[in-house]
Amino acid sequence: MNRDFLYNEIAGRMAHQIRNGVFKAGDRLPSVRALCQEHGISMNTAKRVFVELEAQSLIDSRPQSGYYVSSLPYYRLPLPGVSKPSPIAKDREPEELISKVYANMGNDKLTLLSIGAPSGSLLPWPRLEREVAQAARGLKDGGTGYAPLQGSAQLRKMVAIRSLTWGGRLVDDDLITTNGGMDALSLALMALTKPGDTIAIESPCYPGILQLALSQGLKVLELPTHPTTGIEIEALKKAIPKIKVCLLIPNFNTPLGSCMPDEHKREVVSLLAAHNIPLIEDDVYGDLYYGTRRPKCCKSFDTEGDVIWCGSISKTLAPGYRVGWIAPGRYKAQVLKLKLVHAITSPSVTQEAVGNFLQTGRYEQHLRLLRRTLQDNCQHYMRTIAAHFPEGTKTSRPQGGLALWVELGKQADTTILYELALKKQISIAPGRMFTLQDQYQNCMRLCTGLPWTVELESKLKQLGRMAKLL
Amino acid sequence: MNRDFLYNEIAGRMAHQIRNGVFKAGDRLPSVRALCQEHGISMNTAKRVFVELEAQSLIDSRPQSGYYVSSLPYYRLPLPGVSKPSPIAKDREPEELISKVYANMGNDKLTLLSIGAPSGSLLPWPRLEREVAQAARGLKDGGTGYAPLQGSAQLRKMVAIRSLTWGGRLVDDDLITTNGGMDALSLALMALTKPGDTIAIESPCYPGILQLALSQGLKVLELPTHPTTGIEIEALKKAIPKIKVCLLIPNFNTPLGSCMPDEHKREVVSLLAAHNIPLIEDDVYGDLYYGTRRPKCCKSFDTEGDVIWCGSISKTLAPGYRVGWIAPGRYKAQVLKLKLVHAITSPSVTQEAVGNFLQTGRYEQHLRLLRRTLQDNCQHYMRTIAAHFPEGTKTSRPQGGLALWVELGKQADTTILYELALKKQISIAPGRMFTLQDQYQNCMRLCTGLPWTVELESKLKQLGRMAKLL
């Protein structure tokens, strides 16, 4: 029997047992070895069963002890299926909807469940504020002069050092700073494609990436994506002949929160490299893992410089600073040139401030707190959804990041829910925004980066009541 | 006789007389009326003669009194002719040369005559430093949150108010902030063109604009340009059928420092509007006039929103802050969308700091000082060039801005001069950078935004000696 089928089959059966109380919260599961013997499968296959269950947040691993049924209260909410986008590249951009939703950005009167950024109250801004003032004082001429084209040496050094946390071995000179993460993706796409080329992405996908690709005249091929393990590798294989570049958010992708297992990352990198297709890796959520360790990046499996790794502090420290970076691998010269052409350079003050902050060690401290908060938030959201949303509502199982993907019944239309909710000062991101195809109309993304309060809980309940009306 | 020919003819004769001492420094010239009678020409033609001579810095006007021969000591340096680019759109980008020259950016060990930005020592950075610290303190959550898409309200308000100085009547809502001036041009080009379109520009032209256009897949038509009055309108008329957009730096364009007379601006705006061709106006140098008042912008003659006006503080306050703006006229929705797609938003702290600084009134004070310094510098450069550069060296007559265009003898090659000079820690911008065609090899741009010192003077003399070896 096919190995893929086998582990899915076994994992599915165990998931069913957990959801139905055969195994209860806190129960210890059979060991890997026991599973091998019971099913007559290899160690590798048995391990993949546990990885899959862990990815679905159904179980937790405890070092030196084994796997236990997760004590999270929401595991009875079913998981959406693997997405099924059309295998034809499409370009029906829901432009009006996206503009409408993003126009709410910065509107203090709304409960902004629509914007994928952490709330200011979760950010260490008093300290950053001081870093900015100090950076302005510390830089030559107050930082009024052009920064070097490649960007702040201090920031690049710190990002290079931190690459060890995800299996990277970057050095300062591998990195170029950018005006936030989107600018990094934009430079990468410009360096690697020309109008008319096709790029492959996850589906559902962050609307900014869809719009960026279209604005550069690219065709977009949306790939079937598993809500916890990311793109389906078989689908990517089939797409290979059609695509020029692949752009993925392997770690805690928005809107799904999926995280590609290391094994998948390795496979994708070698598959693409074998066909000379560069991979643009958007890693802005990588530091926001709920689990015990930071996931690896595809870049860590890259030997030839074919993976262009992009990051920023927009999801962890300061969306408003617009500080990001790119490790463009073998495309460094092109990216540097495009940076010069499009922006001359990046602002020095904010880059320097962030570089200095990263050095203080407070970043780690802040991240620990933020990750805990985001994970707690996510559980609060799921508990509230389980109790107050319509029967049959499905949710993703984010393993990190800021987003929860909610799938209502087939008949529900979340663009209508958007309008209803807006009247109650709630802004959501309807599923239709996350694709160029006619789908996800019954889905929505909720940002979990807001502090959990009585008011937020009541807004979520209200949203659930409105969803029942659809 | 053709009116254009007439005024050029008379202006040319008078310029010859001034250069040869018939009229001496400080002499009063005949009045407009006297010139009419003497040559049997109209008041308008007579006025154009004086405008032309003033544009060449040969004469000064004194209010209520008339025109006087300029007391500047450099008027014997001849002016380069009108440029003669090919009427065919070209794309031979001198990429390697540009990369080499820009790689010197921020290198403290060099005398950077190559970079078109004011030196930090001419900028009010101690005050800006405090504004940055205050802005970080004043903004909600220290400015860590996303700024509104359209940009800082404070900055937009101040730019709108200042539009009165150039004949504009902008309101806050007409403006969108950008990551510096190049970002504004980039957004404008993306909003108005698609790959394969042709844009018309001045020649010689700022290399960043050439590269930006090519990077967006555009064809570039370089127009003949007069060193003091800007593009030749007749040439633009002929180009009309071929072009989709026109992009000009009407005020103190780099590298020539030319300034289109108001009359030309009006004519260009109405000519382009009649053919539905939008004009992108890069006005980053407009505040740096050496004369008595700020020149108007083409935008002030725009009635239908066809002129997209772009500005920044990179040439006046803080290149390193990357703060700019765009008044996109009727293309606002497209530009807003592109801003969201490419950058999400601009950094709030630096925008806010600049907005607050503009409000203090210190900007005017600073500009007065900076303009005086730049004008003095320009005279120092020209005097030094007149004394130490090869016989026959021609220079532009900047009426504002940061650049001096120097034309050596036909045999000289400034890419060789670049290499020679670099060995002596001097960086210049060779003429070949400013075109996609094979020309300007005997020209160079010198940035006049450095403080005039004994050392700078000696570097310029050294450069002159090297130029004599070519």
Side-chain angles (χ1 to χ4, degrees):
Chain A
M1 196 185 286
N2 179 303
R3 198 181 65 142
D4 272 0
F5 181 80
L6 237 186
Y7 95 82
N8 259 325
E9 161 73 19
I10 299 172
R13 240 184 295 156
M14 288 179 72
H16 182 77
Q17 292 177 318
I18 294 172
R19 288 216 179 81
N20 289 283
V22 177
F23 295 107
K24 292 202 170 54
D27 278 1
R28 188 169 187 278
L29 291 174
S31 69
V32 174
R33 193 168 300 275
L35 207 64
C36 291
Q37 290 167 352
E38 190 179 336
H39 296 278
I41 55 180
S42 71
M43 284 290 276
N44 263 342
T45 306
K47 277 183 194 159
R48 286 184 74 179
V49 168
F50 287 113
V51 167
E52 172 66 23
L53 293 173
E54 202 178 7
Q56 295 185 33
S57 298
L58 289 170
I59 65 171
D60 298 319
S61 76
R62 297 183 197 165
Q64 319 295 338
S65 168
Y67 289 95
Y68 291 80
V69 174
S70 167
S71 53
L72 301 180
Y74 51 75
Y75 54 72
R76 281 196 185 78
L77 279 172
L79 190 67
V82 172
S83 66
K84 289 174 190 147
S86 153
I88 315 259
K90 292 278 176 81
D91 65 353
R92 283 199 50 185
E93 180 187 6
E95 186 177 340
E96 204 186 325
L97 181 62
I98 295 176
S99 303
K100 207 157 59 175
V101 173
Y102 276 99
N104 298 333
M105 193 163 69
N107 185 338
D108 286 341
K109 288 177 193 137
L110 301 178
T111 301
L112 283 175
L113 298 170
S114 50
I115 307 295
S119 156
S121 61
L122 304 183
L123 301 175
W125 57 264
R127 173 74 196 205
L128 285 168
E129 204 179 282
R130 287 198 297 278
E131 292 289 357
V132 166
Q134 271 172 32
R137 277 198 299 277
L139 285 164
K140 179 165 183 290
D141 302 336
T144 51
Y146 285 124
L149 179 54
Q150 206 168 333
S152 154
Q154 170 71 352
L155 177 59
R156 290 185 293 114
K157 180 179 140 198
M158 293 315 301
V159 174
I161 290 175
R162 287 188 50 78
S163 76
L164 299 174
T165 64
W166 50 261
R169 38 189 187 277
L170 297 181
V171 297
D172 317 17
D173 198 45
D174 293 329
L175 288 152
I176 300 171
T177 67
T178 62
N179 294 319
M182 279 307 285
D183 184 37
L185 297 183
S186 173
L187 291 170
L189 281 177
M190 281 192 281
L192 298 172
T193 65
K194 50 181 198 311
D197 286 344
T198 298
I199 66 163
I201 57 161
E202 290 136 341
S203 180
C205 175
Y206 172 54
I209 291 174
L210 300 174
Q211 291 196 309
L212 183 64
L214 294 185
S215 85
Q216 296 188 12
L218 302 173
K219 291 184 199 143
V220 175
L221 185 62
E222 301 177 34
L223 295 179
T225 303
H226 187 281
T228 61
T229 57
I231 51 152
E232 296 281 287
I233 295 179
E234 284 306 316
L236 179 61
K237 276 183 193 158
K238 278 185 204 141
I240 290 283
K242 299 184 204 164
I243 64 174
K244 183 74 182 292
V245 168
C246 184
L247 191 165
L248 300 176
I249 312 182
N251 292 329
F252 321 128
N253 131 323
T254 192
L256 289 175
S258 60
C259 181
M260 285 169 66
D262 284 357
E263 205 178 324
H264 285 208
K265 286 173 184 156
R266 188 195 303 272
E267 204 174 336
V268 164
V269 170
S270 78
L271 172 68
L272 291 173
H275 294 86
N276 272 316
I277 297 173
L279 170 63
I280 302 173
E281 177 175 36
D282 181 354
D283 188 46
V284 292
Y285 303 101
D287 281 340
L288 297 178
Y289 51 96
Y290 303 163
T292 48
R293 56 171 194 274
R294 195 197 196 287
K296 287 198 173 179
C297 290
C298 290
K299 181 74 180 169
S300 70
F301 300 108
D302 176 32
T303 51
E304 306 296 327
D306 290 316
V307 177
I308 294 94
W309 179 77
C310 303
S312 84
I313 52 134
S314 300
K315 307 305 178 186
T316 55
L317 272 187
Y321 283 16
R322 313 310 303 126
V323 170
W325 50 79
I326 181 169
R330 64 160 84 178
Y331 304 95
K332 187 177 163 194
Q334 292 95 309
V335 169
L336 262 184
K337 181 188 158 183
L338 286 164
K339 178 178 174 182
L340 174 65
V341 167
H342 284 265
I344 301 192
T345 182
S346 320
S348 17
V349 177
T350 34
Q351 283 184 61
E352 202 68 14
V354 170
N356 291 338
F357 181 83
L358 292 188
Q359 192 161 34
T360 62
R362 280 167 199 262
Y363 186 54
E364 290 306 332
Q365 195 180 326
H366 157 67
L367 280 179
R368 272 195 296 276
L369 203 64
L370 179 60
R371 284 195 292 259
R372 168 79 62 87
T373 306
L374 291 177
Q375 184 176 17
D376 286 351
N377 281 1
C378 191
Q379 296 185 18
H380 289 311
Y381 275 57
M382 292 177 107
R383 201 193 54 232
T384 311
I385 288 167
H388 299 276
F389 273 53
E391 194 71 32
T393 297
K394 300 175 181 176
T395 68
S396 59
R397 303 276 185 278
Q399 300 149 67
L402 292 157
L404 186 63
W405 183 248
V406 180
E407 184 179 320
L408 301 175
K410 286 223 169 87
Q411 303 311 314
D413 182 340
T414 51
T415 59
I416 294 173
L417 182 61
Y418 172 82
E419 300 293 348
L420 290 173
L422 201 60
K423 287 188 186 142
K424 306 286 182 190
Q425 276 71 54
I426 304 168
S427 173
I428 61 164
R432 183 61 184 85
M433 288 171 65
F434 299 86
T435 174
L436 300 176
Q437 311 187 358
D438 276 327
Q439 52 175 343
Y440 307 136
Q441 281 89 346
N442 59 332
C443 300
M444 66 185 133
R445 185 190 71 176
L446 302 180
C447 169
T448 55
L450 281 65
W452 186 252
T453 59
V454 176
E455 200 203 341
L456 177 56
E457 185 170 11
S458 120
K459 290 284 183 186
L460 268 182
K461 288 180 185 172
Q462 221 175 349
L463 191 63
R465 283 196 299 274
M466 287 185 274
K468 285 180 179 168
L469 301 175
L470 295 176
Chain B
M1 197 187 281
N2 179 302
R3 200 182 63 143
D4 271 0
F5 180 79
L6 237 186
Y7 96 81
N8 259 326
E9 161 74 19
I10 300 172
R13 241 183 295 156
M14 289 180 71
H16 183 77
Q17 293 177 320
I18 294 171
R19 289 213 178 85
N20 289 284
V22 177
F23 294 108
K24 292 201 169 54
D27 279 0
R28 188 170 188 275
L29 291 174
S31 68
V32 173
R33 193 169 299 277
L35 206 67
C36 292
Q37 289 167 354
E38 190 181 335
H39 294 280
I41 56 179
S42 72
M43 286 289 277
N44 263 342
T45 305
K47 276 182 196 160
R48 286 183 75 179
V49 169
F50 288 113
V51 166
E52 173 65 24
L53 293 173
E54 203 179 2
Q56 295 187 31
S57 297
L58 289 169
I59 65 172
D60 297 320
S61 76
R62 298 185 195 161
Q64 317 297 334
S65 167
Y67 289 96
Y68 292 79
V69 174
S70 166
S71 53
L72 301 180
Y74 52 75
Y75 54 74
R76 279 196 185 80
L77 279 172
L79 190 67
V82 172
S83 67
K84 288 174 190 148
S86 152
I88 316 258
K90 293 278 175 79
D91 64 354
R92 284 199 47 184
E93 183 187 3
E95 187 176 340
E96 203 187 326
L97 181 61
I98 296 177
S99 302
K100 205 156 60 174
V101 173
Y102 275 98
N104 298 332
M105 193 163 69
N107 184 339
D108 285 342
K109 288 176 195 139
L110 300 178
T111 301
L112 282 174
L113 298 169
S114 51
I115 306 295
S119 154
S121 61
L122 304 181
L123 301 175
W125 57 265
R127 173 75 196 203
L128 284 168
E129 204 179 281
R130 287 199 297 278
E131 291 290 356
V132 166
Q134 271 172 32
R137 277 198 298 278
L139 284 165
K140 179 168 182 288
D141 300 337
T144 50
Y146 285 125
L149 180 54
Q150 205 169 333
S152 154
Q154 170 71 352
L155 176 60
R156 290 186 293 113
K157 180 178 140 199
M158 293 315 300
V159 174
I161 289 175
R162 288 188 50 81
S163 75
L164 298 174
T165 64
W166 50 261
R169 32 184 194 282
L170 298 180
V171 297
D172 320 14
D173 197 45
D174 293 328
L175 289 152
I176 300 170
T177 67
T178 62
N179 293 321
M182 280 307 288
D183 184 39
L185 297 182
S186 173
L187 291 170
L189 280 177
M190 281 192 281
L192 298 172
T193 65
K194 50 180 198 313
D197 286 344
T198 298
I199 66 162
I201 56 160
E202 292 136 339
S203 180
C205 175
Y206 172 55
I209 291 175
L210 300 174
Q211 291 195 309
L212 182 65
L214 294 185
S215 85
Q216 295 188 12
L218 302 174
K219 291 182 198 145
V220 175
L221 186 62
E222 301 178 35
L223 294 180
T225 303
H226 187 281
T228 61
T229 59
I231 52 151
E232 297 282 286
I233 296 179
E234 284 306 317
L236 179 60
K237 275 184 194 159
K238 279 185 204 140
I240 290 282
K242 299 183 207 166
I243 65 175
K244 183 72 182 293
V245 167
C246 184
L247 190 165
L248 300 176
I249 312 181
N251 293 329
F252 320 129
N253 132 322
T254 194
L256 290 174
S258 60
C259 182
M260 285 168 67
D262 284 357
E263 205 177 324
H264 286 209
K265 285 173 183 156
R266 188 195 303 272
E267 207 176 331
V268 164
V269 170
S270 78
L271 172 68
L272 292 173
H275 294 86
N276 274 315
I277 296 173
L279 170 63
I280 302 173
E281 178 175 35
D282 181 354
D283 188 45
V284 291
Y285 302 101
D287 281 341
L288 297 179
Y289 50 96
Y290 302 163
T292 48
R293 54 169 197 277
R294 196 199 195 286
K296 287 195 171 179
C297 290
C298 290
K299 182 72 181 170
S300 70
F301 301 107
D302 176 33
T303 52
E304 306 296 329
D306 290 315
V307 178
I308 294 93
W309 179 76
C310 302
S312 85
I313 51 133
S314 301
K315 306 305 177 183
T316 55
L317 272 187
Y321 283 16
R322 313 310 304 128
V323 170
W325 49 80
I326 182 169
R330 65 161 83 180
Y331 304 94
K332 187 177 162 192
Q334 291 95 308
V335 170
L336 262 184
K337 181 188 159 185
L338 285 164
K339 178 178 174 181
L340 174 63
V341 167
H342 285 265
I344 301 193
T345 182
S346 320
S348 16
V349 177
T350 36
Q351 284 185 60
E352 203 68 12
V354 170
N356 291 338
F357 181 82
L358 293 187
Q359 191 160 35
T360 61
R362 280 167 198 262
Y363 186 53
E364 290 306 333
Q365 196 182 324
H366 158 67
L367 280 179
R368 272 196 295 277
L369 203 64
L370 180 59
R371 284 195 293 258
R372 169 78 64 86
T373 306
L374 292 177
Q375 186 177 15
D376 287 352
N377 280 1
C378 193
Q379 295 184 20
H380 289 311
Y381 275 57
M382 293 176 105
R383 202 191 55 233
T384 310
I385 289 168
H388 298 276
F389 273 53
E391 195 70 33
T393 296
K394 299 175 181 177
T395 67
S396 58
R397 302 278 183 281
Q399 300 151 66
L402 292 158
L404 185 65
W405 183 247
V406 180
E407 186 180 318
L408 302 174
K410 287 222 168 89
Q411 303 311 316
D413 183 340
T414 51
T415 58
I416 294 173
L417 183 61
Y418 171 82
E419 301 293 349
L420 291 174
L422 201 59
K423 286 185 188 146
K424 306 285 180 190
Q425 276 71 52
I426 304 169
S427 172
I428 61 164
R432 182 62 184 83
M433 286 172 65
F434 298 87
T435 175
L436 299 178
Q437 311 187 358
D438 277 327
Q439 49 174 346
Y440 308 135
Q441 280 90 344
N442 59 331
C443 301
M444 67 184 131
R445 186 189 71 174
L446 300 180
C447 169
T448 56
L450 281 64
W452 186 253
T453 59
V454 175
E455 199 203 340
L456 178 56
E457 187 172 9
S458 118
K459 291 282 183 189
L460 267 183
K461 288 180 186 171
Q462 220 175 350
L463 190 63
R465 282 196 298 274
M466 286 184 273
K468 284 180 181 167
L469 301 176
L470 295 177

